[in-house]
Amino acid sequence: MSTRKKVHAFVRVRPTDDFAHEVIRYGDDNKSIDIHLKKDTRRGVVNNQQTDWSFKLDGVLHDASQDLVYETVAKDVISQALDGYNGTIMCYGQTGAGKTYTMTGATENYKHRGILPRALQQVFRMIEERPTHAITVRVSYLEIYNESLFDLLSTLPYVGPSVTPMTIVENPQGVFIKGLSVHLTSQEEDAFSLLFEGETNRIIASHTMNKNSSRSHCIFTIYVEAHSRTLSDEKYITSKINLVDLAGSERLGKSGSEGRVLKEATYINKSLSFLEQAIIALGDQKRDHIPFRQCKLTHALKDSLGGNCNMVLVTNIYGDAAQLEETLSSLRFASRMKLVTTEPAINEKYDAERMVKNLEKELVLLKQELAIHDSLANRSLVNYDPMDEIQIAEINSQVRRYLEGTLDEIDIINLRQIQEVFNQFRVVLSQQEQEVECALRRKYTFIDKNDFAAISAVQKAGLMDVDGHLVGEPDGQGFGLGVAPFSAKPGKKAKSKKTFKDQLSSSARKEGASSPVGGKDLDVSISKTQLTPSSKDGDVKDMLLRDRETSNIEPPSSDSPKEELRPPRPSTPPSKPVAFEDFKNERGSEINRIFKENKSILNERRKRASETTQRINAIKREIDMTKEALNFQKSLREKQGEYENQGLMIIDEEEFLLILKLKDLKKQYRTEYQDLRDLRAEIQYCQHLVDQCRHRLLTEFDIWYNESFFIPEDMQVALKPGSSIRPGMIPVSRIMSLGEDDQDKFSQLQQTMLPEGPDSISFYNAKVKTEQKHKYLKTMMGLQQTQRK
């Protein structure tokens, strides 16, 4: 059931050293903003200028950190999305007010990341907390630039640019972008990589208000689909989270835009104006038509604006008095957005495959219940399953005996048997028709009524007159079949037969009489379209059958086995990366296996060392805190006065417990530190083994590569096992060396730099990979340009 709820609107004020305290004031509940202006005395005594405005909001974020902004604005929306509710978070405001910083944040610093990366992180954290569900996450990144749609992830190698332009399509399920690529992400790092890839493709420009101004509206969408791991549960939920970073509205007089930037600003202001018109129409309960199709932005956000969605607006404003007019405009937009109502509802769907399986289970249960009813009714054992071949053969036998008269009645038990009996009657009838036709074909030769060429050939042969009467041939016993013509002469029997054969055969070949003739066009009775020689002299039938057989003869296929030829050596040797993969799977598989095992042991020791380091740091912090507490107790005891008994200092119980705790902590510290020293020694030894295996693997690969692709084939015989030449005796022109790979370096960096924030590993991993990719592409483009010159 859906319930109507208002859109939540928050305001975030950009920090500034010149905040207008006399003009902008916050309410005591931190949910309202009051704007006060002094009257312009130049307008005279009668001055109706409005000087005070008050805006009621859901929260005012002033000097708020990124953590606080996310907790206040987005956390509940993302949490409800995994329960099946759609969500939209939109950043609106003047150019340079901090919309992109609020939505995306600064990728250089993990703590300054915005709503979007934090939302991705929360989604995957919540997936880990729900082991009872199989949840898939997909993402897309859309850019609306100058009223044109662009896919920010089209630069990925497996996507490529779209040939046809993207369009916005509506269907009963909602609005979607045709041609927009959607990417499956199985882990947090993959999602961050897609985010950073899209961010590098965004269009930005510089003007007086903002050095890195976004010149387009961007919509990052997260699609969530959750299936229960309980197979009996047919329902599954889907949800969609739209994270919208709008381009900033700007006054051309202040921004000083020119040329292309001026054109972009015109499109931006136009689309934002249409967005405000749609918001005003949604807030008016009397309006029937909402102008969603005025621009691409409102059309793409039709589901989010007043639809099945949890909607949150973050309005970014300046705190300077110089930007007061734009601030008032943004606050008016926020107050209008609060009038819009949405109807969020859980998006439940049904899994067709699971429904079929559950229905099959239910069918089995119903059959079992039916069997119980049959036994209670004293009925014989009835099988309600589909009949197998043995049961069908038995019914066929009963039907045949019933038709022959040897069986008086057929036992009927259930509906399936009735249906199968009628089916077997049809089968028996069809078989009898085929038997009759085969018997007639053995005795007669059939000619198609519509085959005028064959009929003409028969008439020319003298076996049929013009009236269609058949002419009989004497069978050597003094009589013939049919009516003999007056011109028939007994002595020309053989010649007429030969002539008929030749003519019929040639005419049949010319007119295609050798093709099979359907049974519907054949006449079984003796008529004017048939030829009826006796079974003894069936030469005409033999000629037709022989022509049919020769027309369908295919050249015999040779069954002799072919020798498997050894694949020839390629004309050009494969690239070393490709050959290296083949080598690891074949000749170097054993060395590769040892290398992987040593490396896995090394990674496991490094992981344990990292965990031990974190425990040592935690114990060290606790020791420091205990020492501070103990020093405080000592100073307090000295102020209150010290007590001695027989030369011994008397301390209270709390100080005594702190001393014991400090002693235990130091003991734990020494134990953990000794374990860390042992682990470091093991890591050093494992690293030495990994380096040795790497060196051996590469050395043998180089030997194998040169011997396999550069040595003449007539010398390959000398390299076989047992020959006088051993691997490695052939000189190698160039030896590859593989030092530490990027993964090893990054693992070592994580041990030293990230013990305080392990959650940031995926964020930094994705950032490093994206930067490496774009540096590589930039270098390759530079090389190509140099080669062209």
Side-chain angles (χ1 to χ4, degrees):
M1 294 294 292
S2 61
T3 57
R4 300 183 67 85
K5 60 186 296 187
K6 296 285 186 180
V7 173
H8 293 286
F10 297 88
V11 171
R12 187 179 190 185
V13 185
R14 175 171 176 164
T16 178
D17 296 334
D18 189 18
F19 187 81
H21 295 281
E22 298 178 355
V23 179
I24 302 175
R25 297 185 180 90
Y26 306 133
D28 296 334
D29 58 352
N30 210 27
K31 291 186 177 181
S32 63
I33 293 182
D34 297 328
I35 307 294
H36 174 72
L37 283 177
K38 294 182 179 180
K39 284 193 175 184
D40 190 357
T41 56
R42 292 176 297 179
R43 295 193 177 186
V45 179
V46 180
N47 188 353
N48 295 325
Q49 177 187 3
Q50 184 177 355
T51 58
D52 295 290
W53 294 267
S54 181
F55 301 95
K56 298 290 183 181
L57 304 161
D58 291 289
V60 178
L61 303 169
H62 181 64
D63 290 336
S65 64
Q66 295 281 65
D67 290 332
L68 179 60
V69 171
Y70 184 78
E71 292 287 332
T72 307
V73 172
K75 188 174 182 179
D76 291 340
V77 176
I78 305 302
S79 178
Q80 292 182 20
L82 267 77
D83 295 328
Y85 292 95
N86 294 333
T88 298
I89 303 172
M90 180 188 298
C91 288
Y92 175 91
Q94 183 186 0
T95 179
K99 300 179 299 301
T100 302
Y101 179 77
T102 301
M103 181 56 67
T104 308
T107 57
E108 292 79 11
N109 194 326
Y110 177 71
K111 293 182 180 179
H112 294 165
R113 66 196 190 282
I115 292 175
L116 211 162
R118 292 174 188 267
L120 289 172
Q121 194 173 41
Q122 182 183 350
V123 166
F124 284 97
R125 292 291 181 274
M126 294 183 68
I127 289 175
E128 293 176 357
E129 296 172 359
R130 301 190 180 192
T132 58
H133 287 75
I135 303 176
T136 57
V137 179
R138 295 176 174 84
V139 299
S140 65
Y141 211 167
L142 173 68
E143 181 183 47
I144 305 176
Y145 174 71
N146 291 353
E147 282 301 296
S148 298
L149 304 176
F150 296 95
D151 186 0
L152 289 176
L153 300 178
S154 62
T155 56
L156 294 171
Y158 54 87
V159 179
S162 177
V163 179
T164 58
M166 291 189 294
T167 56
I168 302 174
V169 181
E170 294 187 39
N171 58 16
Q173 286 73 33
V175 177
F176 70 97
I177 312 299
K178 185 178 180 180
L180 181 65
S181 62
V182 181
H183 304 264
L184 177 66
T185 57
S186 57
Q187 56 186 355
E188 185 180 333
E189 184 179 331
D190 296 339
F192 283 141
S193 298
L194 294 172
L195 169 62
F196 295 146
E197 179 71 23
E199 285 297 314
T200 56
N201 296 327
R202 288 190 63 175
I203 298 176
I204 60 175
S206 176
H207 53 74
T208 57
M209 298 288 294
N210 190 359
K211 292 182 180 180
N212 296 311
S213 175
S214 300
R215 311 310 295 166
S216 60
H217 310 297
C218 290
I219 305 174
F220 189 92
T221 307
I222 306 173
Y223 307 89
V224 181
E225 185 175 310
H227 292 258
S228 175
R229 296 188 187 275
T230 304
L231 297 179
S232 60
D233 192 356
E234 304 167 355
K235 293 182 180 180
Y236 68 96
I237 59 174
T238 61
S239 61
K240 182 172 66 173
I241 309 169
N242 286 324
L243 301 168
V244 187
D245 181 16
L246 298 175
S249 60
E250 57 184 83
R251 290 181 179 267
L252 301 179
K254 291 185 177 181
S255 62
S257 301
E258 295 179 354
R260 181 177 63 85
V261 181
L262 175 62
K263 180 182 178 182
E264 294 168 349
T266 304
Y267 276 105
I268 291 170
N269 290 337
K270 182 180 178 181
S271 61
L272 292 177
S273 176
F274 288 142
L275 174 63
E276 189 164 3
Q277 291 178 19
I279 296 302
I280 293 172
L282 286 168
D284 188 358
Q285 301 296 330
K286 298 179 182 179
R287 291 282 294 269
D288 294 331
H289 173 68
I290 310 299
F292 285 118
R293 294 175 178 264
Q294 284 185 321
C295 66
K296 299 288 180 62
L297 176 63
T298 54
H299 197 186
L301 295 176
K302 182 178 179 180
D303 290 342
S304 302
L305 302 173
N308 174 19
C309 183
N310 287 318
M311 180 76 180
V312 177
L313 174 70
V314 181
T315 305
N316 296 86
I317 63 173
Y318 278 93
D320 300 334
Q323 309 295 337
L324 192 59
E325 293 183 7
E326 288 79 6
T327 298
L328 282 172
S329 176
S330 299
L331 290 174
R332 290 192 191 100
F333 181 86
S335 62
R336 289 166 182 161
M337 182 64 86
K338 276 188 64 64
L339 299 176
V340 177
T341 58
T342 61
E343 297 183 9
I346 298 178
N347 301 303
E348 290 184 340
K349 296 182 180 180
Y350 289 88
D351 191 337
E353 185 178 354
R354 291 190 178 184
M355 287 181 67
V356 170
K357 290 182 179 180
N358 292 337
L359 289 173
E360 289 175 350
K361 291 181 180 179
E362 187 177 357
L363 183 61
V364 172
L365 293 175
L366 290 174
K367 287 181 178 180
Q368 293 175 353
E369 186 175 353
L370 189 58
I372 294 175
H373 284 290
D374 290 339
S375 63
L376 293 175
N378 294 324
R379 296 180 62 187
S380 59
L381 184 61
V382 181
N383 186 10
Y384 296 97
D385 293 329
M387 293 188 175
D388 54 17
E389 295 180 357
I390 298 176
Q391 293 172 333
I392 293 174
E394 177 62 27
I395 292 177
N396 183 276
S397 175
Q398 293 180 4
V399 169
R400 289 183 180 278
R401 284 184 287 158
Y402 179 78
L403 292 174
E404 293 172 357
T406 57
L407 184 64
D408 295 334
E409 61 181 14
I410 300 174
D411 295 332
I412 301 298
I413 300 176
N414 54 26
L415 181 61
R416 286 186 186 274
Q417 191 173 7
I418 295 175
Q419 294 175 344
E420 190 59 39
V421 165
F422 279 103
N423 185 40
Q424 292 303 318
F425 271 114
R426 186 186 298 114
V427 171
V428 171
L429 178 60
S430 176
Q431 290 177 353
Q432 289 181 351
E433 289 177 351
Q434 292 178 2
E435 291 175 358
V436 171
E437 183 177 347
C438 290
L440 290 174
R441 285 184 180 278
R442 286 195 298 268
K443 188 173 182 181
Y444 302 101
T445 299
F446 294 89
I447 301 175
D448 188 0
K449 291 181 179 180
N450 300 322
D451 193 350
F452 299 105
I455 295 174
S456 176
V458 172
Q459 290 176 351
K460 291 179 180 179
L463 298 178
M464 179 183 292
D465 59 9
V466 293
D467 296 329
H469 300 291
L470 296 174
V471 178
E473 280 189 354
D475 59 355
Q477 297 180 358
F479 66 92
L481 295 176
V483 181
F486 295 102
S487 60
K489 295 181 180 181
K492 296 183 178 180
K493 177 177 68 172
K495 183 177 180 182
S496 65
K497 186 188 294 187
K498 182 178 180 181
T499 305
F500 166 73
K501 289 180 182 179
D502 296 339
Q503 290 179 353
L504 184 59
S505 178
S506 60
S507 64
R509 289 193 184 98
K510 289 180 181 179
E511 302 295 334
S514 61
S515 61
V517 180
K520 293 182 180 180
D521 296 331
L522 295 175
D523 197 349
V524 177
S525 62
I526 300 175
S527 65
K528 64 179 181 180
T529 60
Q530 290 184 353
L531 189 66
T532 57
S534 63
S535 59
K536 183 177 179 181
D537 298 323
D539 296 328
V540 177
K541 178 186 74 172
D542 295 338
M543 286 293 298
L544 286 173
L545 292 177
R546 193 178 301 112
D547 289 340
R548 292 179 187 177
E549 291 174 358
T550 54
S551 65
N552 295 325
I553 289 178
E554 294 180 0
S557 60
S558 176
D559 296 332
S560 59
K562 296 182 179 179
E563 291 184 359
E564 288 190 358
L565 298 178
R566 185 178 177 182
R569 175 188 292 182
S571 58
T572 57
S575 61
K576 284 202 171 183
V578 176
F580 188 64
E581 295 298 326
D582 295 335
F583 172 77
K584 289 192 295 183
N585 295 329
E586 298 174 0
R587 181 168 165 180
S589 59
E590 183 64 18
I591 306 174
N592 188 45
R593 182 186 63 80
I594 298 173
F595 174 76
K596 287 183 177 180
E597 289 179 357
N598 290 339
K599 194 164 185 179
S600 64
I601 295 172
L602 176 61
N603 292 334
E604 190 269 336
R605 294 295 190 276
R606 285 177 175 174
K607 183 179 179 181
R608 285 174 53 187
S610 177
E611 294 172 354
T612 306
T613 303
Q614 292 181 15
R615 289 197 300 270
I616 290 174
N617 292 336
I619 294 172
K620 183 64 171 61
R621 288 192 293 268
E622 195 170 356
I623 288 174
D624 295 337
M625 293 171 60
T626 306
K627 284 183 178 179
E628 290 179 2
L630 189 58
N631 292 334
F632 176 77
Q633 289 293 332
K634 288 183 180 179
S635 61
L636 187 64
R637 174 164 49 80
E638 290 173 358
K639 290 179 181 179
Q640 293 177 354
E642 298 179 349
Y643 296 94
E644 294 182 358
N645 185 10
Q646 297 180 359
L648 299 176
M649 188 68 65
I650 298 175
I651 60 176
D652 59 357
E653 183 179 359
E654 186 175 358
E655 185 175 355
F656 178 73
L657 293 176
L658 287 173
I659 293 173
L660 293 178
K661 182 180 179 181
L662 182 62
K663 184 178 179 181
D664 292 336
L665 288 173
K666 288 182 177 180
K667 183 178 179 180
Q668 293 179 19
Y669 184 87
R670 287 191 293 270
T671 303
E672 293 289 344
Y673 188 77
Q674 183 61 36
D675 293 340
L676 181 60
R677 291 181 61 184
D678 296 338
L679 284 172
R680 285 177 177 172
E682 292 181 15
I683 289 172
Q684 186 176 2
Y685 178 74
C686 290
Q687 183 67 52
H688 178 66
L689 292 179
V690 168
D691 293 338
Q692 281 186 340
C693 288
R694 179 187 290 115
H695 178 71
R696 182 180 174 189
L697 183 65
L698 291 173
T699 303
E700 294 201 10
F701 164 69
D702 239 15
I703 296 169
W704 171 82
Y705 185 82
N706 284 276
E707 292 178 352
S708 299
F709 301 103
F710 293 99
I711 299 175
E713 294 185 1
D714 54 353
M715 292 182 60
Q716 291 287 342
V717 181
L719 296 175
K720 290 183 178 180
S723 61
S724 58
I725 302 178
R726 298 187 304 275
M729 293 179 65
I730 298 175
V732 180
S733 59
R734 190 170 56 183
I735 300 177
M736 290 177 55
S737 62
L738 179 64
E740 289 184 332
D741 53 17
D742 293 337
Q743 183 178 0
D744 295 335
K745 293 180 180 179
F746 194 74
S747 300
Q748 295 177 4
L749 181 65
Q750 286 179 351
Q751 293 179 11
T752 56
M753 300 299 294
L754 299 179
E756 298 179 359
D759 293 340
S760 63
I761 292 177
S762 299
F763 183 86
Y764 283 118
N765 269 343
K767 182 175 180 296
V768 168
K769 290 180 179 178
T770 305
E771 290 178 351
Q772 289 177 348
K773 175 187 173 184
H774 286 279
K775 285 180 181 178
Y776 171 77
L777 293 175
K778 186 177 180 181
T779 304
M780 294 301 296
M781 289 177 63
L783 290 174
Q784 290 177 359
Q785 292 177 359
T786 305
Q787 291 176 357
R788 289 174 184 174
K789 292 180 180 179

